[in-house]
Amino acid sequence: MPEGYLSNPLMLIINSLVGAYIFVLVLRVLLQYTNADSRNPVSSFIIKATQVPLKVLKPIFPTVKGLNLSAIVLMLVLQMLIGFLAMRGQPNVWVVFIWSLTELISTIINVFIYSIFATVILSWINPGAHNPVVSLLYRITAPVLTPFQRLIPPMGGIDFSPIVALLALQVLKMLLLPPLFALI
């Protein structure tokens, strides 16, 4: 039986589960940073899903200026775990750290990109509806969209700031990630 026969499906499962938890941690950091309503059912789920490990890390890594450092450290540690598992053998800690940091930055930018897309589509489909997920999406996108909305006011009732914000996020990824990957 080849070595990769069982290890590849196992890596897929581990990567998917840990990646999903990292995504939930990213949402927790963003929702906490934007002061989202913790009574929202989605926020409540995210808080409960991340409460146990963060309670342990919180005394060591407190929240500073709205950024939950314990969640950020946990995201980095989990991403590094995936890196160590993916790079079998004797991986270099520095390489795994830089790779993990780059992956986390990419994930955070992608969360903003997908959230902006979702809010745009939802504004076309059902613009006035109140939904717990929709209100959280608007909270998540506010730090990115607000500066662009100040620069580009709506023209004829159409808001072009999401398009410019999406372009800026893509440019940010193109400028930020390749130099980090080059360090590896």
Side-chain angles (χ1 to χ4, degrees):
M1 196 162 56
E3 178 189 321
Y5 182 73
L6 289 177
S7 64
N8 287 342
L10 183 61
M11 272 304 299
L12 173 69
I13 292 168
I14 291 171
N15 196 7
S16 298
L17 291 174
V18 174
Y21 196 73
I22 290 171
F23 179 76
V24 171
L25 285 166
V26 168
L27 290 177
R28 170 144 182 174
V29 168
L30 293 176
L31 292 174
Q32 189 172 350
Y33 181 74
T34 59
N35 294 320
D37 184 9
S38 61
R39 295 169 295 171
N40 183 305
V42 178
S43 292
S44 180
F45 165 77
I46 291 170
I47 290 168
K48 287 177 185 172
T50 58
Q51 188 172 8
V52 174
L54 294 183
K55 194 180 281 188
V56 174
L57 293 172
K58 190 142 180 99
I60 304 166
F61 304 101
T63 299
V64 177
K65 294 187 179 183
L67 281 176
N68 189 335
L69 295 181
S70 57
I72 293 170
V73 167
L74 183 56
M75 284 187 285
L76 188 58
V77 167
L78 290 173
Q79 193 68 53
M80 287 181 73
L81 173 70
I82 292 173
F84 281 120
L85 291 174
M87 298 175 198
R88 296 180 192 106
Q90 305 248 337
N92 183 332
V93 175
W94 175 251
V95 170
V96 173
F97 175 76
I98 296 297
W99 175 83
S100 300
L101 188 63
T102 306
E103 288 295 317
L104 284 178
I105 291 169
S106 177
T107 300
I108 291 167
I109 293 171
N110 285 339
V111 166
F112 283 122
I113 289 170
Y114 300 145
S115 297
I116 291 171
F117 267 124
T119 56
V120 167
I121 291 169
L122 288 170
S123 73
W124 295 339
I125 296 171
N126 203 357
H130 176 72
N131 184 311
V133 174
V134 174
S135 64
L136 290 181
L137 283 172
Y138 282 116
R139 283 297 236 186
I140 289 172
T141 58
V144 174
L145 285 179
T146 302
F148 292 103
Q149 288 169 335
R150 285 188 198 126
L151 288 172
I152 307 163
M155 293 181 242
I158 298 174
D159 185 8
F160 290 103
S161 61
I163 296 169
V164 178
L166 288 170
L167 281 170
L169 287 168
Q170 288 295 345
V171 168
L172 181 65
K173 275 178 77 170
M174 294 170 77
L175 293 176
L176 196 59
L177 299 183
L180 287 172
F181 275 125
L183 292 174
I184 299 173

